[in-house]
Amino acid sequence: MHVKSFLVGGCAAMLVAASASDALAQGCILLRQTAPIFGTTGSLDSDVGSWTITFNGRSSIADQHYRGSVYQAEREHEQTYVVNRQNSVTATVGYQLSPRVSLMAGIPFIESSWGIPSPRTGGPGARANENARGLGDVTTLARFALFNPSTSARSWNIIVGGGVKFPTGNNEATDIFPDGNGNNNVERYVDISVHPGDGGWGAIMDFQAYKQFGRITTFGGGTWLANPRDTGTASRGNMVSNATPSNINTVSDQFVFRAGGSVPITNTITATLAWRVEGVPRYDLFGHSNGFRRPGVTMYWEPGVTVMQGRHAVSFNLPVGYYFNRWSNPNSGNAGDSTFPEYVSIVTYSVRLGGKSSAHTVPARPASDQPATPRTPEVIRPGEGA
């Protein structure tokens, strides 16, 4: 295996990570894991006609409360903290249409829960969990390389992409749980972070770039999911039987950016270190931004390793958060608080099929993380229990 080919493959594998999640940052502040195909296979393969099948798993537990960028230690002392669990598996199919153009589609399955003591004075033993699972929002993406990697001698390239997010995931999930006082245990809408989908059609804007310096490859990239739809379903806690809900969820934009470097350790192993930022903006690029959202941002240091053997590749990534900021509510300007995960676990398996040979020495790049569709950072409003 040539070092140059390995570097290009390793770079593409790590260029853009869930989501990708759905964000990649999970918890009360949530980057949708079902969103744009963050971290799926790249566009630097000259083996026209090859297919790549990728399975990406992402898991996180968010229980660290922040108001703005200030940690709310009192929530832990009072035992009133929210616990938000996020698990997703995304299957992505990619096809190399030409040396410069690749196509892909991602199908996620989401399982998540959100829980807070009800009543709050009851402590963890009174935690009322809200659960949802099911198909997430399907995404499609096309990427185009500025230079043909099979003929260009350049040590760098830029790849741009665009795609569509389909509202296939359920954004009206319900469960049976009590109100904030621990009473009236009836069917209600779950928290916005728990819904498998966000309820809107989305436009995906994507870019990647890399530059080789000897054995080291530096890379950068980002994906923005634009959701033009204004509002979706009723917010958390509204009873399903209530025809006039007290508040409505937004369908927010989401973003993820990533930059770092990779270096081959052996002929089959590549190590990476990246800086990652995931979040939900206060206002969308297009359309109105009414309704309930939890805008905010999380920054991570993300070590990772990819093992390649023949047509197969496995990646392990562990983004570790170091900066959390729950931005103020877009409509009222009031501060909100949200929970964030201290780290996110990401595992990816990828296999390459077809092309010029069925036994490739450099397999298609695995995702370093899914989320392809970020999920959204979210905020807990007064009276909604965070």
Side-chain angles (χ1 to χ4, degrees):
M1 181 182 301
H2 296 295
V3 172
K4 182 176 180 179
S5 297
F6 189 85
L7 282 170
V8 172
C11 167
M14 302 301 173
L15 274 173
V16 174
S19 152
S21 86
D22 246 9
L24 353 58
Q26 299 292 342
C28 293
I29 182 165
L30 161 74
L31 186 67
R32 280 198 188 284
Q33 303 171 22
T34 61
I37 308 164
F38 297 134
T40 50
T41 54
S43 308
L44 301 177
D45 195 336
S46 60
D47 194 4
V48 176
S50 63
W51 293 82
T52 304
I53 300 175
T54 301
F55 295 95
N56 177 278
R58 174 169 170 150
S59 180
S60 67
I61 298 176
D63 57 7
Q64 305 293 304
H65 277 267
Y66 282 80
R67 181 176 295 274
S69 59
V70 179
Y71 175 58
Q72 294 183 292
E74 65 275 12
R75 297 298 295 269
E76 183 175 356
H77 298 324
E78 296 167 357
Q79 299 288 287
T80 60
Y81 54 89
V82 167
V83 176
N84 188 309
R85 292 181 172 88
Q86 298 285 334
N87 299 292
S88 68
V89 176
T90 300
T92 301
V93 177
Y95 179 71
Q96 197 67 37
L97 183 64
S98 75
R100 299 168 65 183
V101 178
S102 62
L103 308 174
M104 60 203 71
I107 304 173
F109 182 86
I110 306 298
E111 187 278 328
S112 54
S113 68
W114 189 98
I116 188 172
S118 295
R120 288 196 182 188
T121 55
R127 189 177 305 282
N129 290 318
E130 309 160 22
N131 304 281
R133 63 177 56 85
L135 176 71
D137 291 337
V138 172
T139 56
T140 59
L141 188 67
R143 284 178 171 149
F144 177 82
L146 184 61
F147 303 108
N148 188 334
S150 63
T151 60
S152 175
R154 292 177 174 84
S155 61
W156 62 277
N157 211 335
I158 297 174
I159 304 94
V160 296
V164 176
K165 176 181 67 69
F166 300 83
T168 53
N170 181 15
N171 74 320
E172 298 180 343
T174 63
D175 201 356
I176 296 176
F177 57 95
D179 59 24
N181 296 317
N183 302 318
N184 200 14
N185 195 42
V186 298
E187 185 177 10
R188 304 171 186 272
Y189 291 100
V190 299
D191 187 77
I192 187 174
S193 66
V194 180
H195 294 296
D198 62 18
W201 291 81
I204 302 168
M205 295 166 283
D206 177 88
F207 80 93
Q208 305 179 36
Y210 74 91
K211 168 66 177 176
Q212 292 178 228
F213 296 94
R215 288 170 51 83
I216 297 175
T217 300
T218 58
F219 57 83
T223 302
W224 188 286
L225 171 64
N227 272 319
R229 182 177 176 180
D230 186 12
T231 57
T233 193
S235 298
R236 173 191 178 271
N238 278 280
M239 294 185 293
V240 174
S241 59
N242 186 0
T244 57
S246 59
N247 43 39
I248 300 292
N249 289 332
T250 190
V251 183
S252 63
D253 288 7
Q254 304 153 41
F255 61 84
V256 60
F257 299 99
R258 194 164 175 271
S262 65
V263 61
I265 304 303
T266 69
N267 285 343
T268 59
I269 299 175
T270 295
T272 64
L273 179 62
W275 174 76
R276 174 196 290 265
V277 55
E278 300 179 347
V280 170
R282 295 183 67 206
Y283 301 100
D284 295 344
L285 283 180
F286 309 107
H288 297 289
S289 301
N290 298 306
F292 171 66
R293 74 172 65 197
R294 295 191 180 102
V297 66
T298 304
M299 297 182 185
Y300 300 92
W301 291 113
E302 180 187 340
V305 62
T306 297
V307 180
M308 296 182 176
Q309 185 63 52
R311 296 178 293 123
H312 307 274
V314 179
S315 294
F316 303 91
N317 291 73
L318 188 71
V320 179
Y322 72 91
Y323 177 79
F324 310 97
N325 194 339
R326 163 58 163 90
W327 293 329
S328 59
N329 296 328
N331 298 313
S332 66
N334 295 331
D337 72 299
S338 298
T339 61
F340 296 82
E342 294 184 270
Y343 63 88
V344 180
S345 302
I346 301 166
V347 179
T348 304
Y349 167 73
S350 179
V351 60
R352 181 178 176 185
L353 306 171
K356 298 176 182 177
S357 170
S358 61
H360 301 292
T361 56
V362 181
R365 281 73 54 190
S368 61
D369 146 341
Q370 198 289 32
T373 94
R375 251 187 174 206
T376 329
E378 295 148 274
V379 149
I380 297 177
R381 303 175 143 177
E384 288 192 354

